[in-house]
Amino acid sequence: MCFKIGNASGVMCQNSDDLDTLYTSSYCSFVVTKSATLNRRDGNPEPRYATLPNGSINSSGLPNHGFNFYLDWAYDKLTNENKLSFNHKKKIYLSISGLSLDDNVSMIKSYNQMIDELFLIEDFDINLIPQLEINLSCPNVIGKPQIGYDLDNLEKYIRVLDKEVDNRITYGFKLPPYFDISHFEIVSNILNKFDKCSFIVCCNSLGNGLFIDIAEKEVVIKPKEGFGGIGGDYILPTSLANVNYFYKNLKGKEIVGCGGIKDYNTCLMHIYAGASRLQVGTYLYENDAEIFGSLKSDLYSYIWKNNLGDIKELIGCVKSKN
Ligand code: RRO
């Protein structure tokens, strides 16, 4: 089995040059576009990303070109053979993060129109139809709480979106990290009611952390008085717990591991916890698309050297202690 690894939304995916780099990079298995709003946004004031000793903090504030830009980019990649000297098509995930439920509904309607057009193309490979990755967990828009934490309204919210998505297509959610078993339970019970939801990404950044530059007696990013989403090593154990809980409790959904992936060990931890696809955020931001080649080759060498067999058999294989 060929393991799928690509970018986390937000990293190398806002502009068409970056998106093209990921799309043409041989070892990047799929591309996720920057979470889009209905209309374009500049995002929060700079500096809005900082490297931390073991990860990152960001408060980008959803800078993006508006959903139609990403729809057009995807449509172009899937239908224009000769623009890039690269004819291999790969899966695209369109991330949306509407500022309201109505905005999300409008974006889904535009998405459905594109799907209609793709279905009309003779012999179009159905596996390449872009899927929506609906972001329920942006921590950085001032005055907009994370929907994924509004457990009283989450089901109602999802029901509206679920009904809107073209019935020929499945979609996924990017979730915030959860910390309490009762919350894991509530969210699993809700998600299990929606068969059209075929994947979840565990998880978005750890919302509203703070880091301090001792010498300057100052926070390290400008927006929100320094508060921002934390990524990198800090989030790995939390992501693994989210991957593992949902792997054990969701029925028939793909679990996408995201959080702290930077080498074959961290890939394997996510796979053993239950992830069957991986996204890389901070480590990609700090490096470039070459990382996908080395992550894959290091992972396959380890598996081969240790005679671990097919990767498929390793997904979710973690054991409890006796
Ligand atoms: O743009 C952002 O500030 C942002 C988003 Br939409 C998100 O989902 N997660 C994050 O850490 N930053």
Side-chain angles (χ1 to χ4, degrees):
M1 173 196 177
C2 178
F3 204 75
K4 296 194 185 93
I5 186 161
N7 69 306
S9 177
V11 182
M12 275 189 86
C13 60
Q14 190 178 326
N15 304 312
S16 46
D17 285 355
D18 280 344
L19 286 165
D20 286 347
T21 302
L22 288 181
Y23 196 79
T24 52
S25 146
S26 325
Y27 298 103
C28 177
S29 321
F30 57 84
V31 178
V32 191
T33 57
K34 170 67 188 167
S35 288
T37 45
L38 190 53
N39 301 306
R40 75 174 294 284
R41 284 170 59 88
D42 290 334
N44 292 339
E46 310 254 11
R48 56 196 185 190
Y49 177 97
T51 304
L52 304 185
N54 300 97
S56 64
I57 184 167
N58 89 85
S59 181
S60 307
L62 267 168
N64 76 93
H65 295 287
F67 185 53
N68 282 342
F69 172 90
Y70 301 99
L71 265 186
D72 291 347
W73 177 80
Y75 189 81
D76 189 58
K77 286 291 148 304
L78 294 172
T79 55
N80 262 344
E81 302 267 341
N82 299 318
K83 263 209 174 146
L84 301 162
S85 55
F86 178 78
N87 279 332
H88 174 68
K89 295 193 174 66
K90 64 176 72 166
K91 181 88 177 193
I92 295 169
Y93 295 87
L94 293 162
S95 173
I96 60 169
S97 188
L99 298 178
S100 66
L101 179 57
D102 283 351
D103 282 4
N104 271 334
V105 167
S106 298
M107 288 189 276
I108 295 174
K109 284 186 194 301
S110 307
Y111 166 79
N112 287 343
Q113 281 172 9
M114 181 186 71
I115 298 307
D116 272 342
E117 288 179 36
L118 291 177
F119 270 108
L120 289 175
I121 299 173
E122 210 173 313
D123 295 335
F124 190 81
D125 178 358
I126 240 155
N127 294 314
L128 285 174
I129 299 268
Q131 278 181 289
L132 288 173
E133 182 183 290
I134 303 172
N135 185 353
L136 299 177
S137 49
C138 173
N140 298 329
V141 178
I142 295 158
K144 298 280 176 197
Q146 294 180 58
I147 298 143
Y149 286 142
D150 183 358
L151 300 184
D152 292 334
N153 292 303
L154 187 59
E155 181 171 345
K156 236 179 1 192
Y157 194 97
I158 291 179
R159 198 164 293 289
V160 174
L161 301 180
D162 182 82
K163 233 197 270 167
E164 208 58 54
V165 178
D166 189 304
N167 281 323
R168 294 168 291 184
I169 303 293
T170 60
Y171 64 87
F173 289 117
K174 173 109 169 236
L175 299 174
Y178 295 101
F179 308 95
D180 192 288
I181 297 298
S182 70
H183 297 168
F184 281 127
E185 246 174 61
I186 293 170
V187 175
S188 313
N189 289 337
I190 292 174
L191 292 174
N192 276 328
K193 294 181 187 176
F194 297 96
D195 290 343
K196 249 199 275 176
C197 166
S198 65
F199 71 90
I200 58 158
V201 184
C202 300
C203 40
N204 210 320
S205 55
L206 277 169
N208 293 299
L210 183 69
F211 202 76
I212 294 170
D213 179 331
I214 303 276
E216 299 294 330
K217 296 197 185 94
E218 200 178 54
V219 299
V220 295
I221 52 171
K222 185 162 181 185
K224 292 178 67 181
E225 300 184 345
F227 283 46
I230 306 294
D233 296 354
Y234 305 107
I235 196 174
L236 177 67
T238 300
S239 290
L240 293 174
N242 278 259
V243 166
N244 190 241
Y245 186 92
F246 288 117
Y247 173 76
K248 291 195 276 203
N249 290 282
L250 291 184
K251 291 181 231 118
K253 302 194 196 302
E254 176 188 37
I255 311 296
V256 184
C258 179
I261 292 170
K262 63 175 185 184
D263 52 24
Y264 73 87
N265 291 296
T266 45
C267 288
L268 272 175
M269 284 191 221
H270 270 275
I271 294 166
Y272 289 178
S276 44
R277 182 153 67 85
L278 301 179
Q279 294 183 353
V280 189
T282 299
Y283 185 59
L284 175 61
Y285 187 100
E286 301 286 343
N287 295 280
D288 58 40
E290 301 289 305
I291 61 156
F292 295 113
S294 46
L295 287 174
K296 271 186 178 162
S297 65
D298 291 353
L299 180 63
Y300 286 125
S301 317
Y302 179 87
I303 288 173
W304 185 76
K305 271 192 211 140
N306 291 280
N307 238 333
L308 295 178
D310 192 329
I311 263 196
K312 211 164 45 189
E313 307 303 325
L314 302 175
I315 296 167
C317 73
V318 64
K319 297 177 293 199
S320 300
K321 280 221 177 290
N322 285 325

